[in-house]
Structure formats: structure tokens, C-alpha cells
Amino acid sequence: MSLELVKETWPGKIFTITIGATAAEGGTRARTVTLGGHGALPFLPGDAPSPHPPLVAMEVMDVVPPDWPEHLRAPLADVLASPADWARKCVEDCGADLVCLRLQAPHPEWKDASPDEAAATVRAVLQAVPVPLIILGCGHADKDNEVWPRVTEAARGERCLVGMAVPENYKTLVVACLADGHNVLAEAPIDVNIQKQLNILITEMGLSADRIVLHPGNASLGYGLEYEYSIMERIRLAGLQGDRMLSQPMLAVVGEEAWKAKEARLPEGAMPAWGAEALRGPAWEAATAAAFLQAGADMVVLVHPETAATVRRTITELTKGSAA
Amino acid sequence: MHTPTVTFQPDARTVAVEAGQTLLDAVFAAGIPLNSVCGGRGICQRCRVCVQGGEIEIDAAGRLPGREILACLARVTGDVVVEVPEASRIEGEQILTGAERGPGAFIPISVEAAAGLPRVADLYVPSPLALPVPLELPPPTLHDCVSDLHRLTRELRRQRNIREVTVPMEVLRTLPQMVREAGWHVTALLGRADGGFNLIDLLPGAGAPRAYGVAVDVGTTTIVVHLVDLCRGTTLGATAALNRQIAYGDDVISRIIHAGEPGGLERLRTAALDTINLLIGGLARAHGVGRDEIVAAVCAGNTTMLHLLLGLPPAEIRREPYTPVVTAPLTCAAADVGLRIHRRGLAAAMPGVSSYVGGDITADVLAAGMDRTEELSMLIDAGTNGETVIGNRDFLACCACSAGPAFEGGGISWGMRAARGAIQRVEIAPDGTLTWATVGGARPRGLCGSGLVDLLAELLRAGIIDRAGRPRPGAPRVREGPDGLEVLVVPAPASAAGRDIVLTAADIENLLRAKAAVYAGASLLARRLGIEMQEIQRVYVAGGFGTYLDIRKAILLGLLPDLPPERVTFIGNGSVTGARMALLSYEVWRHAADVAQMMTYRELSTDAAFMEEYVSAMFLPHTDSARFPRACAELGTPQQ
């Protein structure tokens, strides 16, 4: 007796979004990435083809992270002081599909760096790597609104993904991305309705719905993962059911959250029963990433080189046999 | 001891007050329509008056630059003369009769015959809860020497077929002298009681009978009183004031908490009672009706308000499993409640359903006539507590949620009740020109609920605010105010107060929350009943918006479901209308208990989907555009 798999069909389809632009397209990237395009839930190639498997992005900061535990700092120690070197290492050594540049320095409580300095950092990273860029602000609304226009201008034509647009502060970013041809990363606080409202507000400013990537919240294993998982799942289900305002690809910022967990940070000396931190830390990050991939994340942002390798293997295994 | 008096100018009206009472109390007692929206806390700064001379004690916060002081922070210590300037008055309360008929989609809150609502007299036989019965008693003779009481009850039975009359001892004591002095021509004032009547009073003379009643809507934010001629079935006048309990909290929960403090329940009871008594006094004076001629009062209000008015401990209302002391219809002597009408007059409280669906909603249902028709209808009461009822004559289901006082003008910088000078209509022309219409055509003093609905809808349509309700920086009329972005509605030179009338981002947020709560409740109740909105044949909207409500604009905001506007009827203050119907018809009063009994209460606070409905309704008109196809088409928003 042969087992017949139930095939689920959906009326909707997730938007396909390309990040990065080659010289022919007005940018300078050697390669671009494309995400989305799914007609089914993740890793079910039997239901519908998923032409674009999930991607691995790696996070780079323009400040030396002051509070990283030693086992996270060590593998990147030689590049942390230079965003360009850091980005190069992510691409050349770790095989990152994209670089996610977090512009933390402009935050008034960090370095209060000027918009020009931020723009210079962006240009330096663009020159250092051939892959597309995700650019994140510092989260301070007023400062972000000063920085974003300069940064998007510095990267004009490169078709970056710039964020986070949040319900309280999205207008400046959207205008800047419209002017300079970038995509927008839209973040809502783990709420499907607020995510949709934000998407509507952004599209009503003239940015088309297929230029938005969603960031449905921040969580990690043991720290709210279930909430974010279920919201991502609901967003994806709504999109597949045809809700165009929830049909965007999704991104999960994994590294930053996972490495806040004490389970990832504490050395074995402090918690002997937990085992070696050099294994445990990256494992915590990878487990978080794996869950979000199952929930429908199209892109995960990681920090530890070893996690990047693990997650890459996971994606390869999960997409084996699917029509790429 | 000398009782201080307060004389108001230019009205030349003098009232006696107790020493220590505030000028605001005196203003209410004198029936002068002074503006005040904070419940006498010195916050709204609207009760500005000028002392012309006399003894008064004024808090430091009550002294304003110039000659003006705040009436609520001034205590009377001796005789005083006070001028109430024109700018501080709310003239011609529109909550009154609402007889004006507006153009187009505007529907008047006509008390007597709001569009689509039948007259009480057409539905029920007039049979007021209290009535005067003139009698000519045959004087006693040796052949007819029954007792005076027997004579009275016998003649009531013989002449009017009135049986089972209970006579109070107080009346009995004065009976023999009174009937003889009146030459056996008397008028019996009778109040309805279960299975019979109570003799409220016996008056000399059998001439044209006079008897009046009051219908009272005890709202969390606003109290409305109608003075009704029980003999003719007409409303002589109506008036409204802010419920003085507001000084102890804006919503029912904070009032219940306050009631639990030492002396709290009594303070709240007195505050509501004072408000009602002052309103009754003002109306009676204005219409030449004596207090003792008012022989019945029907009060409708949410369960908490009725508990507080009756001095019943409300604590369990807010504790799981939310059990009120009473929801059944109650009647007693007015003096037992403290209502200053005839002391033995009939005081009645409309029956409610549960802790959070009270007698006001029973009254709404009666006013709308939902319980009498076959068509599936929905009632939305957008009061401080937002309630929804869905059903017809076969079933009624209801729910409640906390909406806040925004649509009554509460918690809004320039919000006010629908009184003279309240902006009730707003239009924004394609060129950005904003025009307004005020109640009574006066210079604008603020915005009432219907004006707020209009304004928000027009701002949305003109793109001045976005669909999350945020003012767009750089849009016309949008500017940075002291508390963030604000929209200029009326510039200072055109306003009554000589200050800019604005709508702030925080005001919009409050309105959005209120509309989201109301819609979420309605939508979730329909969902739990397995009813699609499109199946609803008629929607009745009640609430203190004002004289009018532009249905199309209320739909555009997502306050009301997106049904064809002709299916929606605005019934205004259904609570006071229903109370008035009961006052005029014993049949309605008895039927009210059946209606309350028939309503099934659905608790939303334990329904996990409520928060979801609420958040998705926190958008204009709604996050799910598919639910608002007409509104989105009007806004030019593509369907998602």
C-alpha cells in the first residue's frame, strides 16, 4: 500500500523580493539575492515550489560590542573594530548571503556619531563586500530620522533593505527608501494586526507592497520564541490565504536576541551542569534560527561564525530535493 | 443662623445655599447653565465667574488672572453676588428635545419621534406609573356612615375601577380633616405597585389634575433628566449635566474602587443624587412645576451607576464572577432613594441584565423596539461603557466593553457635551477649507461627539491624518503643539473663548480606542452568535454624541459596521427614552423586566479573541479592509 501525501493548495503567494543591485541594475553588487515567492508553508516542496530557499545574513556593527561574552568575541576579535573587515570576514570566511549592518554608533547614548559618519561606514562596507546589504538604524527615533536620509543616499541604487520602520516612526525611512530605491524592513511588536496596519501605512505612502520585508518581533529560545513563532506562522498563513498586506517575506534577527540569553552567555565555570559554552552559545543561536525557519523566516541574521555554518547545513538539509 | 444666598447676574436669580457649598453647587441649584466638564475638580477651567461682592473663600488654584475665578473652587461663606459671563454659559442644551431636523444624512435625536421610532402612545396604552385621580366623594350620612378610608377606596373602585390601594399612615392621619375642608372634592395621587396602587398623596380639589414625572439617565459621564407631564404624555423639558461622581474617577471601575474606601459609597451616592436633584430642581423651576407635583421617577443607568445611586455596595461587580446585588426592577418611595420629588413619589430603577449590561441597555432595547420585531437587529450604545445587543423578538444577546467617555466629549482637549456652541458638523472642502456648524449657530466653544466623528472622518478623507489616526507632519492644519502634533480646527479669533480649538494626537488616540472597543464588542458578539454583519437588517445607535450623528462618517471611521447607511438608525439617548416610555406606561415597565430577563449576557473579558478584535479595530476604518468595502472605496483605499 502506498502512502499518498495530502497536498495543500493555497490561493495566495508570497511576494518575491530582490535585495541588492548589480552594475547593470544601477548598483555595484557582484551578486544579488532573491527571497519569497512561496506558494506553500516552508519546506513542503510537495505542496508548491518554493523557488527561493532561506538566506543567511550576518550582523556587523559600527561599534565594538561591549558586552559580548568571550566565546562570542573570540572568533571575530580581529575584525570587531572595523565594520568593513568584519563584513569581509562574514562573507569570505562564513559565506554570508548578505551583511546586516547595524548603525549603533549614531545613538546619542553610544557615540552620537553624525549622519555623515554613518554614511561613510555604509560606503566602506559596500566597498568591502560584493553581497547585498541590510542596514539597521540605532532605534533612537529622532536620530534615526537624521541618519536614514544620508545613509540611503550614500547607498543609492544598491537596493538595500533598510529598517526598522516601526508604527511610531516609519515616515522618514519610507520617504528615504522611495527616493533612493531601497526596500523597507517593517517591524511590529509580535502582533499580526499591528504588522498589517504598518504595512498598509507604508504602502499608502507609495511604496509598493512587494518592497517590504517583515520583522515580526524579537525573541529567542526560552525568551518568547513561541510568541514570535506563532505570529510568523499566522502572518505566513494569512499571506498564503491571499492577504496582500501580509504576503511579504520575513526576517528574523536571531543573533542579537539569542546572545542575550544567559544560557548562551554564561561560561561553564558559572554553570557546570550546562556544559561547554563554546558549544552551547552557538547551539542556542542555531536552535532559535531553526525554529524561525520552520515558522517561515526567509532570512535569519546571525552573529557567530559557527552558527552560520550550522544554519546553512540545516537549510541545505531541509531543502534537499525541492525544486530550487 | 443665617443661610447664605447667592445672587447670579445678569439673571438676577437668587438661591439659598448651605455655608461651605461651592459656587458651582449654587449655580446648579439656580439652574444656570454654567459650563463645567471636570466634575468640579478645577481641571477644565470652564466654570469662570466674576464675584461682584460678598463673602467667599477661594482656593489659590481657583483664582485666575483678571477678575475671574473658578466656581468649583469657591466656597460660599455669606451672601454673595456673582456675574456669570456669556462665555462661561452653555445655552440651550441640545440634549433636551432635539427637535431640529437637519439636512441629508443627519438624523435628529427626537425624543418623541426619532426617525423610525414609533411613539409610545402608538405602541402601548398610556398608563403612567403614577397618576392623579380626581374624585367627588359622597359626604357621609346616617345611611352611609362607613369610615373615611372605606369611602375613599370604595369610590376609587366604584368610579374608576381602581382596587387594591395601600394608604400610608401619614395620609391617613390627615385624611378626616382634609376631605372635610375640601368639601369631599379630592384628587388621589396613585402610584403603581405590584398588583395594585399606593396612595402617594391626597390633595384637596378635584379640578384639572396635575402630575409630573422624571425620566433619568444616570450615565457614568453625563446625567440626563426629562420632565414629563404624566397626564398629557408630553416632555416639558430636559436637561443634562456631568455626573459629579467624575470627581472620583472616570469609569465604573475606578468608582467601584472608590466606593470601597471609608465613606466612599456615600460620597458617590450623594454626588449622583446631588446632580440629579439639581437638574430636577432646575427643570421644575423653569416649567413652573412644584417638587411635590413630581410623583414618579424612572432611573435608567448601567448596573454600577444604579448601585451607587441606591447606595448598594458595588464591590462584587468587579470581582470574578461579577455578581451585582440586584438587576431586577426596583421600586420604592422617592425619599428612600433621596430624590427630591414628592417624598412618597414612586422611584423606579430599570431592570438590568448583568454587572456590565444595565437598565440603560434594557431602556435602549425598549426605545428601539428591538424586542417587538422579527428582523434581526443590532443595538450599539457607544457610552462610556460600550454595549451591544443583537437579536429580535425571539432572542436577545448582549455584551459590554469599556469604551471611555470620548464620544461624550470626555478626555478630549476641546470636547464638550452637545450644548450651544458645540461643533456638531465639520466639512473639509477639496481645497482644504474647514467649515463647521455649531449647535444653535453660536461661536464654537468645543466639539461634541457628533462633531468629533465628523472631524475625524473629514481629516481622514482629506489625508490630514493617516489610517492609524496620526496627524501627518506637514499636512495642512497640522502643527507642533505643546503635547505633540495637533490639528487646528478653529482659529482663536473665531472661537468663543478666543483660543485656538485643536484636536491633539492624544485626543485622536482616545477616540480611536473608544471606537475600537465599541466595534470590537459588536463584531465579536456577532461572531460568537455565528451571525455575519451583512445579515443584520437594522442597526440602532445610541449614545451621547449630540443632536445628530452622520452615519456615513461613523462607518467611514469603522465605529459602525459597514452596512448600507439606510439600515442604520440613530436613536440618541435611548436610555432616557426607554425610561420615559416606562414612566408613561405600566405595560412598558412590566415588559422591561421580561426584556432584561430575555437578554443573554456574553462575557467578553474572558474571550481571548477580544484583544485581537480590538487591536485590528485600532485603525481607520479597520485593519481588515474587506470588512469595510464601502468605507475603503470612499477613501480610495485599494482592497487588500
Side-chain angles (χ1 to χ4, degrees):
Chain A
M1 203 173 81
S2 67
L3 178 69
E4 196 176 328
L5 291 176
V6 176
K7 196 170 166 172
E8 206 157 11
T9 58
W10 301 89
K13 196 172 176 190
I14 304 308
F15 290 122
T16 303
I17 297 185
T18 297
I19 302 172
T22 60
E25 295 162 323
T28 60
R29 303 298 88 198
R31 46 187 194 264
T32 65
V33 298
T34 301
L35 52 161
H38 319 290
L41 290 171
F43 313 119
L44 292 171
D47 284 358
S50 278
H52 306 293
L55 302 169
V56 172
M58 289 189 74
E59 182 164 338
V60 170
M61 295 169 80
D62 61 349
V63 290
V64 178
D67 58 346
W68 277 10
E70 183 53 30
H71 55 289
L72 173 58
R73 214 185 58 81
L76 298 163
D78 53 332
V79 294
L80 290 179
S82 159
D85 291 346
W86 188 348
R88 203 175 287 118
K89 183 177 177 93
C90 289
V91 176
E92 290 170 9
D93 297 358
C94 313
D97 298 311
L98 303 90
V99 165
C100 177
L101 174 62
R102 184 185 293 271
L103 295 170
Q104 192 63 43
H107 196 291
E109 287 165 23
W110 287 66
K111 288 185 173 172
D112 203 12
S114 70
D116 282 338
E117 289 172 89
T121 306
V122 169
R123 271 191 290 267
V125 173
L126 279 168
Q127 271 169 19
V129 294
V131 300
L133 231 59
I134 303 168
I135 304 171
L136 303 182
C138 67
H140 184 281
D142 290 342
K143 193 62 189 275
D144 274 344
N145 287 340
E146 283 177 44
V147 169
W148 277 328
R150 305 302 308 277
V151 162
T152 57
E153 192 188 8
R156 170 178 269 173
E158 297 286 4
R159 198 153 59 197
C160 300
L161 177 63
V162 192
M164 307 279 189
V166 293
E168 302 76 33
N169 189 35
Y170 64 91
K171 287 171 181 158
T172 305
L173 175 60
V174 173
V175 168
C177 288
L178 277 169
D180 296 317
H182 302 294
N183 300 313
V184 170
L185 185 56
E187 177 185 81
I190 314 198
D191 186 301
V192 64
N193 281 301
I194 295 177
Q195 181 80 66
K196 181 169 170 178
Q197 290 166 8
L198 178 59
N199 294 346
I200 294 172
L201 293 169
I202 291 173
T203 53
E204 292 199 342
M205 290 187 71
L207 191 100
S208 67
D210 60 1
R211 283 176 63 187
I212 302 172
V213 174
L214 311 183
H215 180 236
N218 290 302
S220 76
L221 179 60
Y223 297 87
L225 179 132
E226 318 72 335
Y227 293 103
E228 187 170 344
Y229 185 102
S230 63
I231 290 298
M232 290 177 93
E233 194 174 46
R234 284 185 57 192
I235 289 174
R236 181 50 47 90
L237 287 169
L240 290 173
Q241 276 157 3
D243 189 334
R244 283 170 44 82
M245 280 302 137
L246 289 171
S247 298
Q248 289 78 8
M250 294 182 286
L251 169 134
V253 180
V254 173
E256 196 207 5
E257 285 301 309
W259 285 97
K260 283 180 189 165
K262 63 178 183 296
E263 289 83 350
R265 297 173 70 92
L266 288 183
E268 190 175 5
M271 281 289 174
W274 288 4
E277 71 268 16
L279 284 174
R280 179 171 16 98
W284 205 264
E285 188 182 8
T288 303
F292 290 145
L293 289 173
Q294 291 289 353
D298 293 278
M299 204 155 40
V300 287
V301 181
L302 308 171
V303 278
H304 198 289
E306 204 170 302
T307 315
T310 310
V311 172
R312 171 80 63 207
R313 275 201 309 280
T314 306
I315 294 171
T316 310
E317 285 295 318
L318 285 169
T319 49
K320 220 179 239 176
S322 68
Chain B
M1 199 186 116
H2 173 70
T3 309
T5 62
V6 183
T7 304
F8 292 101
Q9 299 291 5
D11 314 66
R13 202 176 284 175
T14 302
V15 288
V17 296
E18 282 166 37
Q21 281 199 294
T22 66
L23 267 186
L24 192 63
D25 292 324
V27 162
F28 274 113
I32 289 171
L34 182 67
N35 201 350
S36 166
V37 298
C38 68
R41 286 180 289 177
I43 293 168
C44 73
Q45 309 245 316
R46 296 188 192 186
C47 57
R48 299 168 183 223
V49 296
C50 304
V51 177
Q52 293 185 331
E55 297 169 46
I56 204 151
E57 236 175 62
I58 307 163
D59 288 7
R63 292 182 189 277
L64 302 178
R67 288 174 56 230
E68 291 182 329
I69 60 156
L70 297 181
C72 64
L73 296 182
R75 294 186 181 280
V76 180
T77 51
D79 294 347
V80 63
V81 180
V82 172
E83 183 199 339
V84 181
E86 188 57 30
S88 301
R89 289 170 187 255
I90 30 173
E91 296 283 357
E93 288 276 359
Q94 288 301 299
I95 313 170
L96 305 192
T97 52
E100 311 87 348
R101 190 167 285 273
F106 294 91
I107 297 166
I109 314 180
S110 166
V111 172
E112 297 293 330
L117 289 182
R119 285 162 177 273
V120 187
D122 297 341
L123 291 176
Y124 301 96
V125 180
S127 53
L129 289 197
L131 63 163
V133 179
L135 284 175
E136 304 218 349
L137 303 174
T141 64
L142 281 174
H143 302 289
D144 175 18
C145 59
V146 298
S147 72
D148 290 347
L149 176 60
H150 188 163
R151 187 173 309 278
L152 176 67
T153 52
R154 183 186 74 195
E155 294 309 313
L156 279 168
R157 187 175 67 241
R158 273 193 191 158
Q159 296 179 27
R160 307 299 292 261
N161 195 27
I162 290 172
R163 292 154 198 273
E164 304 293 332
V165 179
T166 310
V167 177
M169 187 58 70
E170 282 171 278
V171 177
L172 201 55
R173 286 183 183 131
T174 56
L175 180 64
Q177 192 184 353
M178 201 280 283
V179 288
R180 283 169 182 85
E181 279 178 9
W184 304 95
H185 294 239
V186 296
T187 297
L189 286 173
L190 297 174
R192 302 261 178 185
D194 275 342
F197 295 86
N198 285 323
L199 182 66
I200 294 170
D201 213 344
L202 194 63
L203 305 173
R210 276 163 70 93
Y212 302 89
V214 284
V216 185
D217 168 36
V218 193
T220 312
T221 306
T222 312
I223 293 185
V224 181
V225 175
H226 282 211
L227 178 64
V228 179
D229 183 332
L230 296 177
C231 300
R232 293 178 183 78
T234 53
T235 301
L236 296 182
T239 182
L242 222 64
N243 185 339
R244 292 192 175 190
Q245 291 177 345
I246 282 191
Y248 308 108
D250 285 337
D251 52 47
V252 294
I253 299 301
S254 47
R255 307 260 175 96
I256 293 172
I257 292 169
H258 186 80
E261 292 173 14
L265 178 56
E266 185 55 23
R267 274 194 295 280
L268 289 165
R269 190 183 79 88
T270 309
L273 205 52
D274 283 353
T275 316
I276 296 171
N277 283 334
L278 290 167
L279 289 171
I280 293 176
L283 271 179
R285 200 171 300 114
H287 294 277
V289 170
R291 290 239 186 199
D292 279 351
E293 291 182 298
I294 304 173
V295 289
V298 177
C299 301
N302 66 56
T303 306
T304 304
M305 286 304 112
L306 291 181
H307 274 58
L308 295 177
L309 178 62
L310 299 174
L312 305 173
E316 297 302 325
I317 287 178
R318 72 176 258 268
R319 290 197 195 114
E320 214 176 73
Y322 318 114
T323 44
V325 177
V326 63
T327 54
L330 285 179
T331 55
C332 63
D336 290 345
V337 179
L339 291 175
R340 288 181 59 200
I341 60 173
H342 192 297
R343 54 189 305 274
R344 288 185 300 275
L346 174 75
M350 287 293 270
V353 179
S354 70
S355 272
Y356 293 103
V357 175
D360 51 342
I361 304 307
T362 310
D364 277 339
V365 168
L366 289 167
M370 282 176 82
D371 56 312
R372 306 171 59 90
T373 59
E374 200 163 351
E375 66 179 9
L376 183 63
S377 51
M378 171 187 266
L379 178 126
I380 296 176
D381 189 323
T384 313
N385 220 35
E387 294 95 347
T388 301
V389 183
I390 295 177
N392 60 10
R393 67 181 178 205
D394 297 322
F395 81 100
L396 291 166
C398 59
C399 68
C401 57
S402 180
F407 290 120
E408 292 165 74
I412 306 293
S413 313
W414 284 88
M416 65 181 284
R417 277 175 294 127
R420 192 174 150 85
I423 296 175
Q424 58 176 349
R425 283 183 70 174
V426 177
E427 262 168 40
I428 299 177
D431 69 355
T433 319
L434 188 150
T435 52
W436 67 83
T438 61
V439 176
R443 282 168 95 81
R445 291 162 189 270
L447 291 142
C448 67
S450 51
L452 288 164
V453 168
D454 258 32
L455 176 60
L456 212 53
E458 289 292 290
L459 292 175
L460 176 66
R461 188 147 57 187
I464 295 172
I465 57 173
D466 65 23
R467 288 183 58 197
R470 293 192 195 87
R472 290 188 205 271
R477 299 189 159 267
V478 174
R479 65 185 190 191
E480 196 69 44
D483 306 308
L485 289 177
E486 62 184 28
V487 180
L488 175 65
V489 184
V490 178
S495 83
R499 286 180 286 155
D500 287 344
I501 295 179
V502 297
L503 187 72
T504 67
D507 294 340
I508 300 176
E509 182 84 11
N510 280 342
L511 287 163
L512 215 59
R513 288 209 184 101
K515 86 98 186 170
V518 169
Y519 180 81
S523 156
L524 187 56
L525 182 63
R527 198 162 113 195
R528 292 296 178 238
L529 292 171
I531 290 169
E532 296 282 335
M533 282 291 188
Q534 299 306 319
E535 296 175 57
I536 309 265
Q537 293 305 302
R538 183 144 300 279
V539 177
Y540 298 99
V541 188
F545 295 98
T547 318
Y548 305 108
L549 179 67
D550 188 325
I551 300 298
R552 284 172 197 278
K553 288 180 180 166
I555 293 174
L556 198 68
L557 296 180
L559 169 62
L560 302 177
D562 195 349
L563 294 168
E566 60 273 14
R567 284 199 216 168
V568 185
T569 305
F570 180 48
I571 65 168
N573 189 328
S575 175
V576 78
T577 305
R580 210 181 55 87
M581 288 166 66
L583 188 62
L584 288 171
S585 165
Y586 188 52
E587 196 187 335
V588 173
W589 169 250
R590 279 187 306 178
H591 183 51
D594 301 336
V595 168
Q597 192 95 56
M598 177 178 167
M599 278 198 257
T600 306
Y601 177 66
R602 171 101 201 177
E603 179 63 52
L604 294 187
S605 67
T606 55
D607 194 323
F610 180 77
M611 205 55 202
E612 172 112 19
E613 281 280 354
Y614 174 71
V615 174
S616 61
M618 281 282 289
F619 208 58
L620 299 170
H622 195 275
T623 308
D624 184 0
S625 313
R627 297 203 209 177
F628 285 84
R630 292 174 195 84
C632 287
E634 194 173 342
L635 290 171
T637 303
Q639 285 284 304
Q640 279 107 35

